[in-house]
Amino acid sequence: MADITIFQARTIVTMNPSAPKATHVAVRDGRILGVGALSDLQGWGDYELNTQFADMTLMPGFVEGHAHAMEGTLWRHVYCGFFDRMDPNGKVWDGLKTLDDVLDRLKQAEAELTDPDAPLTGFQLDPIYMDNITVTRHDLDQVSATRPIGILHASGHILNVNTKALELAGMMRTGLNHPGIELGADGMSIGVLKSPEVYMPVGPIIGLDRAATDADEPGLRDFAKLCVRTGTTTVTDLASRLDDNAVEMMLRVTGEPTFPARVVPLKFFMGHTPEELISITLEHKKKSTDQLRLGRIKVIADGSIQGFSARLRWPGYHNGAPNGLWYIAPEQLSEIYHRALEADICVHTHTNGDQATDLALDMLSPALTAHPRPDHRFTLQHCQLADPAQFRRMKSLGMCVNLFANHHFYWGDEHYRLTVGPERAERMNACRTALDNDVPMTIHSDAPVTPLAPLFTAWCAVNRITASGRVQGEAEKISVEEALQAVTLGAAYTLHLDGEIGSIEVGKHADFAVLDADPTTCDPTTLKDIGVWGTVQGGRIFAAADL
């Protein structure tokens, strides 16, 4: 059997400007040997010609720069989202439009539990679509007053629990004093817990132990199925606790010859001092493999805009809600930046609100003066309300940005109507402004917050269409080519992997998305509808139909 495989396709979109289209790509030892016409590649020696993609399009495997592998684990619980959604096995679950619908689905699931003490867990709740109601413990008590119940919001920043869960957590009492714990007139928690630091202690009680931030082994395997179904060959796990057991598991699973994706987990800043965070991350970095890239850090500065827990500059929330929550003190963020730059560790910082973006910029500038790093690629994640002045500051500091393009569709109407008002909603996730200011940019799904689907994410950035069908932010649209760049080389750049993945050219990993059509020639409004056959990852073929 020949050592070289040459894949034939109807079209190969390379994302390499010196040779943008081809018909054949040669692969040896999981890497790209050459790209071009068959005649260009035959000089490498004996080969096997693979024609199974002859009627399809190959692109560089998509790179998802902001996702969470916990999605694979969450699907073992009850889906409570507003939109229809596909699980890792390909089943599409109906979205739930009212709180009564949510409670009915939970009651059905509760009736199937045989252990009277087992927790009941839901995920993807989004009350902003239900007239922005507050779901309380009393609502969930209607499902059961004797077993602990919890539902994680779609944003991942808020957890609703019932009275039993609060009792078991020792939180059904007066005297709780934290801005993330909402209290009723009686001084008791109403069952709304905002921010991971508040709800993580309750997680194990309601069945969300590792799934609150991490994937367990079955969850990681299920998440990889979603990668194949969406053409994703490299995916981040952007806020993982990465304890010793988790690292061992991820090294073992990703090292299997049948595991279909490269995983880039970032160590989440929680439960450690900044000094400990850097020390642990340096040890992880030594363990990196081709399929598991360790040694990066994730910090969260604020909460969620649709959850009203993000930090906004004046004039604040359009509906008059109080400003959101800080998840980190300025002194902590500053220390992390200083120590990370000194140790040459990349930090990605979650900043949903523009006030949080200001904090990150203000803390990084003096840290860079103290520890110059000309190619640090510190990245602001989400960064949804950044204005042109902030993008100019990012450029001057050598920062990257990963914008939440999917928000245009999923929450654009609610941002326009309720959270930030028309003007700021029009310029949210300002892809055009980022590119015009030469800020290296990518776009993301934040799965499970929205579904992992890079072609859909590209469609969102190109068309900026909301769920109601309105175009929101015409001036911030980008081209199809720019959007495809963002979900391939753009994301790879933010991960310091653009020399290995993100384009189909000599020497890079043989990572391809196998598509039914060429996205560069389709109607831009149909970009999201292009079918994904599967992937080639490291030269290995994975068909979605075989999962």
Side-chain angles (χ1 to χ4, degrees):
M1 185 175 178
D3 292 335
I4 300 170
T5 299
I6 296 180
F7 292 98
Q8 178 183 344
R10 183 174 62 232
T11 307
I12 299 175
V13 180
T14 69
M15 304 307 294
N16 175 9
S18 66
K21 293 287 183 78
T23 56
H24 294 75
V25 54
V27 175
R28 185 175 68 193
D29 299 328
R31 297 174 69 182
I32 297 167
L33 195 59
V35 189
L38 182 60
S39 58
D40 299 326
L41 307 176
Q42 290 173 325
W44 286 106
D46 293 341
Y47 63 88
E48 177 184 342
L49 182 64
N50 185 315
T51 61
Q52 70 183 112
F53 307 136
D55 293 326
M56 300 180 190
T57 295
L58 297 183
M59 272 197 68
F62 297 124
V63 183
E64 173 54 82
H66 189 144
H68 302 275
M70 69 180 184
E71 170 154 11
T73 305
L74 287 175
W75 275 109
R76 297 204 297 275
H77 302 299
V78 182
Y79 178 65
C80 299
F82 183 83
F83 293 92
D84 297 352
R85 186 143 170 184
M86 182 181 68
D87 68 19
N89 294 316
K91 177 180 176 178
V92 176
W93 291 78
D94 292 338
L96 305 176
K97 307 306 182 187
T98 67
L99 177 58
D100 286 341
D101 291 340
V102 171
L103 297 178
D104 286 345
R105 183 170 285 178
L106 289 171
K107 289 174 183 176
Q108 293 170 16
E110 199 273 339
E112 296 173 3
L113 295 176
T114 56
D115 182 350
D117 298 319
L120 178 63
T121 312
F123 71 103
Q124 217 63 22
L125 181 67
D126 212 349
I128 200 167
Y129 284 115
M130 303 168 186
D131 295 324
N132 201 37
I133 59 172
T134 299
V135 180
T136 71
R137 60 185 172 90
H138 303 293
D139 295 313
L140 298 185
D141 287 347
Q142 297 177 43
V143 179
S144 175
T146 59
R147 73 170 75 247
I149 299 174
I151 313 179
L152 190 66
H153 281 219
S155 69
H157 287 264
I158 301 172
L159 181 71
N160 287 111
V161 296
N162 70 342
T163 302
K164 185 65 174 180
L166 290 171
E167 290 173 352
L168 293 174
M171 296 174 67
M172 197 58 200
R173 58 182 175 83
T174 58
L176 298 174
N177 182 21
H178 190 286
I181 302 175
E182 291 195 33
L183 304 178
D186 58 0
M188 309 279 270
S189 169
I190 63 171
V192 180
L193 307 178
K194 296 183 177 182
S195 86
E197 71 170 355
V198 171
Y199 70 63
M200 288 283 278
V202 189
I205 293 170
I206 54 90
L208 279 179
D209 184 7
R210 180 168 300 283
T213 54
D214 299 0
D216 58 13
E217 182 171 335
L220 183 59
R221 296 184 188 280
D222 279 347
F223 190 58
K225 293 180 183 179
L226 288 172
C227 291
V228 174
R229 293 186 187 281
T230 59
T232 306
T233 53
T234 297
V235 65
T236 55
D237 187 5
L238 210 74
S240 180
R241 285 177 291 182
L242 288 179
D243 59 33
D244 291 343
N245 290 334
V247 171
E248 184 280 327
M249 179 275 290
M250 296 180 88
L251 285 167
R252 175 171 48 80
V253 172
T254 60
E256 294 172 356
T258 56
F259 190 81
R262 185 173 293 99
V263 180
V264 186
L266 276 70
K267 174 68 177 173
F268 183 27
F269 176 55
M270 177 177 281
H272 301 288
T273 66
E275 184 178 10
E276 290 168 342
L277 177 71
I278 299 302
S279 177
I280 293 168
T281 304
L282 285 172
E283 288 302 309
H284 287 168
K285 199 171 187 177
K286 299 174 185 176
K287 299 178 181 180
S288 277
T289 68
D290 207 35
Q291 290 289 100
L292 187 70
R293 301 303 180 94
L294 298 158
R296 297 163 179 81
I297 288 170
K298 164 73 175 295
V299 176
I300 302 182
D302 68 340
S304 155
I305 296 175
Q306 71 271 25
F308 300 94
S309 58
R311 294 291 305 191
L312 273 56
R313 297 189 303 197
W314 187 90
Y317 284 101
H318 187 59
N319 69 340
N323 210 347
L325 303 174
W326 287 114
Y327 284 16
I328 192 168
E331 296 80 8
Q332 286 180 307
L333 186 59
S334 175
E335 184 178 353
I336 290 171
Y337 284 170
H338 276 270
R339 290 182 179 275
L341 286 167
E342 186 176 23
D344 196 20
I345 292 173
C346 188
V347 180
H348 290 230
T349 306
H350 161 123
T351 66
N352 255 318
D354 46 6
Q355 192 178 60
T357 294
D358 271 345
L359 175 67
L361 295 170
D362 290 346
M363 295 302 101
L364 183 59
S365 182
L368 278 170
T369 300
H371 311 282
R373 286 283 178 184
D375 192 28
H376 58 82
R377 304 190 200 181
F378 277 31
T379 299
L380 294 180
Q381 295 283 347
H382 304 324
C383 199
Q384 294 198 72
L385 288 176
D387 63 16
Q390 289 178 318
F391 280 110
R392 288 189 286 272
R393 290 185 70 191
M394 292 176 219
K395 172 61 177 176
S396 70
L397 294 172
M399 300 191 80
C400 306
V401 67
N402 191 348
L403 298 173
F404 202 165
N406 286 19
H407 251 263
H408 309 322
F409 179 80
Y410 284 101
W411 290 283
D413 292 319
E414 304 310 313
H415 291 319
Y416 191 98
R417 177 183 69 88
L418 196 63
T419 68
V420 299
E423 183 179 353
R424 285 177 292 177
E426 289 280 337
R427 65 169 172 81
M428 286 181 78
N429 298 294
C431 296
R432 179 78 272 145
T433 299
L435 292 178
D436 287 349
N437 282 280
D438 296 323
V439 177
M441 184 206 74
T442 182
I443 50 182
H444 65 270
S445 68
D446 197 12
V449 177
T450 70
L452 177 67
L455 284 174
F456 175 81
T457 300
W459 174 87
C460 288
V462 169
N463 297 283
R464 292 184 67 98
I465 295 174
T466 70
S468 68
R470 294 187 305 108
V471 173
Q472 188 160 291
E474 181 75 33
E476 291 295 345
K477 287 182 176 180
I478 59 176
S479 70
V480 170
E481 290 75 13
E482 289 167 330
L484 295 176
Q485 174 94 359
V487 296
T488 52
L489 274 169
Y493 184 86
T494 67
L495 301 173
H496 288 264
L497 294 176
D498 52 309
E500 301 179 47
I501 58 175
S503 61
I504 301 177
E505 53 185 310
V506 176
K508 290 195 171 184
H509 294 292
D511 292 0
F512 314 135
V514 185
L515 310 178
D516 290 344
D518 181 351
T520 67
T521 61
C522 75
D523 182 334
T525 63
T526 66
L527 189 60
K528 64 180 175 59
D529 302 316
I530 294 174
V532 177
W533 181 92
T535 60
V536 177
Q537 207 266 343
R540 302 164 300 147
I541 299 170
F542 299 95
D546 295 339
L547 296 175

